[in-house]
Amino acid sequence: MSRVRRGAYIAVLSTGYAEYDFNGERNSEMDNVTDFFGSLVFDDRVMKEKLSAEVYSSLRKTIDEGLALDKKVANAVADAMKEWAVSKGATHYTHWFQPLTGVTAEKHDSFIEPSADGNVILEFSGKELIKGEPDASSFPSGGIRATFEARGYTAWDPTSYAFIKDKTLCIPTAFCSYGGEALDKKTPLLRSMIALNKQVMRILKLFGNDDVKYVTTSVGAEQEYFLITKEMYEKRPDLLFTGRTLFGAKPPKGQEMDDHYFGVIKPRVAGFMEDLDKELWKLGILAKTEHNEVAPAQHELAPIYTTTNVATDHNQLTMEMMQKIAARHGLVCLLHEKPFEGVNGSGKHNNWSISTDSGQNLFSPGATPYENAQFLLFLCAVIKAVDDYQDLLRISVATAGNDHRLGGDEAPPAVVSMFLGDELSAVLDAIEYETHYEGVKKQKMMLGVDALPRFSRDTTDRNRTSPFAFTGNKFEFRMLGSSNSIACANIMINSAVAESLKIYADELEEADDFKESLKKLLRKTIKEHKRILFNGNGYDDAWTKEATEVRGLSNYKTTPDCMPHLLDEKNIRMLTSHHVFSEVEMRSRCEIMLENYCKQVIIEANTMISMVQTSYIPAIMGYTNELANSINVKRAADVSVSVGYETTTLRRLSSLKDFIAGKCDELKISLEAVREIKDIEKRSCLIRDDLLIHMNELRAMVDEAETLTAKSYWPYPSYADLLFSVK
Ligand code: ADP
Ligand code: MG
């Protein structure tokens, strides 16, 4: 399946994409994308070429069906990998993994081993391929690893291809403690894929699909980001230390004109995108669409979807490459969820579906009523999952940065709901009330015992406000922040859907009359879970009110609000029963996530204090001195000074300066109070209820002062300088 897709994609590339540069000249380098696509990946093509038929087929079995790899095969693979990597100029290898810090980690070892004659040989064994032992004591473990047992180990994930980056062979790996607890994001993701596969297979058997060997989930992650010039970036300590601006008055022009969305891409940005695409293609990443987003300086990249754990690795790599390539162009790529107040933040859209080993998408409405019955069951499983585990979905995207989007006034809201579109909603109504379903093509359908409705694929979704939307043959989860790893969201989606399917399979396997039981089960799901379905405008305040007060949906605005619910009994029961997490792992993750939240906001508060004390207050004093001088000049000329521009501005700025100094002191006191609290949950709550309030108030005062102070006195680039810096 993936090979078919890739072939088709290369055809698209070589005929239509970037063949001409921006002057209309033929772009010779881009001519032969097919030659370099995946050139830095030890992918299926390379494996076939470099491995013996026997080793290849055994490795393929491991990749596709999860069978264990024997030592002989591992050695042969390691040897071929090393030969290939060295031929591409690599000198080192690393186990590449995704600890809970949110970034990727690597520890480079060189291939060299001393040889008897005093020279070196290049060596890489199966053992080194399969298992690594980074000295990982400083990765967060939430108390799982006591310090005396600080070493964890990394284990090869053969389902994600090895690749070369910075002359280093990178081997995608999972990261665990010696007790076997997961210390990373990949391990639970792989476990959740196994859990989902198990339950989907039970359901497929019930529908008589006996030739399906396994199913996988696929994800296409659309990634938003901002680009600003390096020059401006380096002048802003807040961007340097926290990734977002902590101060900044609104620019005269923001995003109100919507003229940036899909607008003409500026040459410098186009140069960046072209370079980025090229580097990503070398890494086998199917970067497909690049365009401008709504906010000025905001852009988006969408890849073609692929297997979830590969998509997760690819998204991490994409974020890393974005930053590297930007630097080459004198730019900085901001991946923070909310780099600029008053301007849309950046998110990620996680497009998710399940397909069989032969490439059948289980969320494609089928051509026959029978296929549709199966489709409706999978659809209902997702509806039930999203409703039952709203909290886990919200938790999976919770960070200090994303709180500014989800809890704020922008897309999507913190309330999780699901969009199905009119046609599918009508089908569900018909099932619930056992009425006629009238499709868009005016074909009337009776919901008889043996025939469920047949309908066409609805591709009309353009409801961009929905957090979880059905978009024809996949679901689009839109709550992820731009810097989130997509692993967390997919762990929760996979597990929650596995749980729905388990409940269905338990019931249907025992049923005397399969069709009747199926109908009952669908109707029951729709009745019990339709509260999660909402096709309207998710930004509307009226919706939040209805969602929370009438429908009883949860509305967790912040990370401290939602994170402790990870440990609710129902969540522990569900996730442990599918072996996605152990209870210990869940407790440690909850602690780490809250710790990350606290650390992030505390760094922000510290940065604010330093900027105010060392730059803003002195700047305001400088300008107020000038105003005072000007007033003295007036006085000397016998002009009345009791009113006039200088006097009113001086009065306001002087008092603002004192307010700012006072607020800064309050912020310091609040910070002390936060530091004194040892309990991480309580600490995060005090940050939410006190520290962040002071930070916002301080910001508002400084932003007002910015609008009154001469630009030549203002110490940092303005929003206009930042947002419109890339010409
Ligand atoms: P848009 O959201 O702009 O309408 P598309 O729906 O075409 O664009 O695709 C958005 C993303 O969804 C892309 O990354 C695409 O590869 C991915 N996608 C398309 N089909 C599927 C699928 N069946 N499963 C998972 N992702 C998919
Ligand atoms: Mg989309």
Side-chain angles (χ1 to χ4, degrees), residues 29 87 223 271 277 330 449 471 535 572 645 656 710 714:
E29 265 201 293
S87 78
Q223 173 76 44
D277 278 345
V449 178
T471 52
N535 288 342
I572 294 184
Y645 176 76
L656 265 178
W714 206 246

Side-chain angles (χ1 to χ4, degrees), residues 434-535:
E434 296 186 81
T435 51
H436 285 290
Y437 164 70
E438 196 173 311
V440 275
K441 294 188 193 99
K442 299 282 168 220
Q443 303 158 287
K444 282 202 174 174
M445 279 155 219
M446 180 61 191
L447 289 169
V449 178
D450 57 356
L452 284 155
R454 179 186 158 178
F455 52 91
S456 58
R457 172 181 154 163
D458 183 0
T459 50
T460 57
D461 160 55
R462 282 298 168 256
N463 181 340
R464 295 290 173 186
T465 68
S466 177
F468 206 106
F470 181 68
T471 52
N473 61 357
K474 62 181 167 31
F475 292 90
E476 189 165 340
F477 183 39
R478 298 177 175 137
M479 290 174 88
L480 290 83
S482 47
S483 68
N484 284 158
S485 159
I486 63 169
C488 309
N490 287 295
I491 291 167
M492 295 311 177
I493 299 174
N494 290 344
S495 307
V497 174
E499 173 68 7
S500 302
L501 292 173
K502 178 184 175 291
I503 293 168
Y504 290 178
D506 286 348
E507 192 166 325
L508 291 174
E509 280 167 358
E510 298 301 314
D512 296 329
D513 182 340
F514 177 74
K515 281 176 193 158
E516 199 42 50
S517 298
L518 174 64
K519 265 185 58 184
K520 256 181 48 206
L521 196 143
L522 296 182
R523 197 172 305 128
K524 181 165 179 275
T525 301
I526 298 165
K527 266 198 194 355
E528 284 174 6
H529 298 287
K530 66 180 173 186
R531 65 174 189 158
I532 199 77
L533 304 177
F534 178 62
N535 288 342

